[in-house]
Short mmCIF file of all heavy atoms in Angstrom, two decimals:
data_model
loop_
_atom_site.label_atom_id
_atom_site.label_comp_id
_atom_site.label_asym_id
_atom_site.label_seq_id
_atom_site.Cartn_x
_atom_site.Cartn_y
_atom_site.Cartn_z
N CYS A 152 55.46 9.65 -19.23
CA CYS A 152 55.29 8.78 -18.06
C CYS A 152 55.24 7.34 -18.55
O CYS A 152 54.34 6.97 -19.30
CB CYS A 152 54.02 9.10 -17.28
SG CYS A 152 53.73 7.89 -15.95
N VAL A 153 56.21 6.55 -18.14
CA VAL A 153 56.25 5.14 -18.56
C VAL A 153 55.08 4.39 -17.96
O VAL A 153 54.50 3.50 -18.58
CB VAL A 153 57.59 4.48 -18.14
CG1 VAL A 153 57.58 3.00 -18.53
CG2 VAL A 153 58.75 5.18 -18.80
N GLY A 154 54.70 4.77 -16.71
CA GLY A 154 53.55 4.11 -16.06
C GLY A 154 52.30 4.22 -16.91
O GLY A 154 51.54 3.28 -17.05
N CYS A 155 52.08 5.41 -17.47
CA CYS A 155 50.91 5.65 -18.31
C CYS A 155 51.18 5.30 -19.76
O CYS A 155 50.24 5.21 -20.55
CB CYS A 155 50.48 7.11 -18.26
SG CYS A 155 49.95 7.68 -16.65
N GLU A 156 52.43 5.15 -20.15
CA GLU A 156 52.82 5.03 -21.56
C GLU A 156 52.20 6.19 -22.34
O GLU A 156 51.48 6.01 -23.30
CB GLU A 156 52.37 3.69 -22.14
CG GLU A 156 53.01 2.48 -21.49
CD GLU A 156 54.35 2.09 -22.07
OE1 GLU A 156 54.99 2.96 -22.71
OE2 GLU A 156 54.77 0.93 -21.87
N TYR A 159 52.81 13.80 -21.67
CA TYR A 159 51.98 14.81 -21.01
C TYR A 159 52.45 16.20 -21.38
O TYR A 159 53.64 16.42 -21.63
CB TYR A 159 52.06 14.65 -19.48
CG TYR A 159 51.18 13.56 -18.93
CD1 TYR A 159 51.70 12.31 -18.60
CD2 TYR A 159 49.83 13.79 -18.74
CE1 TYR A 159 50.89 11.32 -18.08
CE2 TYR A 159 49.00 12.80 -18.22
CZ TYR A 159 49.54 11.56 -17.90
OH TYR A 159 48.73 10.59 -17.39
N CYS A 169 53.11 13.03 -12.50
CA CYS A 169 52.01 12.36 -13.20
C CYS A 169 50.80 12.24 -12.28
O CYS A 169 50.93 11.76 -11.16
CB CYS A 169 52.45 10.96 -13.65
SG CYS A 169 51.04 9.96 -14.18
N PRO A 170 49.62 12.67 -12.75
CA PRO A 170 48.43 12.59 -11.88
C PRO A 170 48.02 11.16 -11.54
O PRO A 170 47.39 10.93 -10.51
CB PRO A 170 47.34 13.29 -12.71
CG PRO A 170 47.82 13.29 -14.12
CD PRO A 170 49.32 13.26 -14.06
N GLU A 171 48.38 10.19 -12.36
CA GLU A 171 48.04 8.79 -12.08
C GLU A 171 49.06 8.13 -11.15
O GLU A 171 48.71 7.31 -10.32
CB GLU A 171 47.99 7.96 -13.38
CG GLU A 171 46.73 8.09 -14.18
CD GLU A 171 45.53 7.39 -13.55
OE1 GLU A 171 45.66 6.23 -13.15
OE2 GLU A 171 44.47 8.03 -13.46
N HIS A 172 50.32 8.46 -11.36
CA HIS A 172 51.38 7.70 -10.71
C HIS A 172 52.17 8.48 -9.66
O HIS A 172 52.91 7.89 -8.88
CB HIS A 172 52.36 7.14 -11.76
CG HIS A 172 51.73 6.13 -12.64
ND1 HIS A 172 51.11 6.46 -13.83
CD2 HIS A 172 51.56 4.78 -12.49
CE1 HIS A 172 50.62 5.35 -14.38
NE2 HIS A 172 50.87 4.35 -13.59
N GLY A 173 52.02 9.81 -9.65
CA GLY A 173 52.78 10.60 -8.69
C GLY A 173 54.27 10.60 -8.96
O GLY A 173 55.07 10.95 -8.08
N THR A 174 54.67 10.16 -10.15
CA THR A 174 56.10 10.12 -10.49
C THR A 174 56.41 11.26 -11.47
O THR A 174 55.50 11.83 -12.08
CB THR A 174 56.45 8.78 -11.17
OG1 THR A 174 55.50 8.55 -12.22
CG2 THR A 174 56.39 7.64 -10.18
ZN1 ZN B 14 51.63 8.03 -15.14
#
Side-chain angles (χ1 to χ4, degrees):
C152 174
V153 177
C155 296
E156 297 274 21
Y159 280 101
C169 167
E171 280 288 312
H172 294 91
T174 50

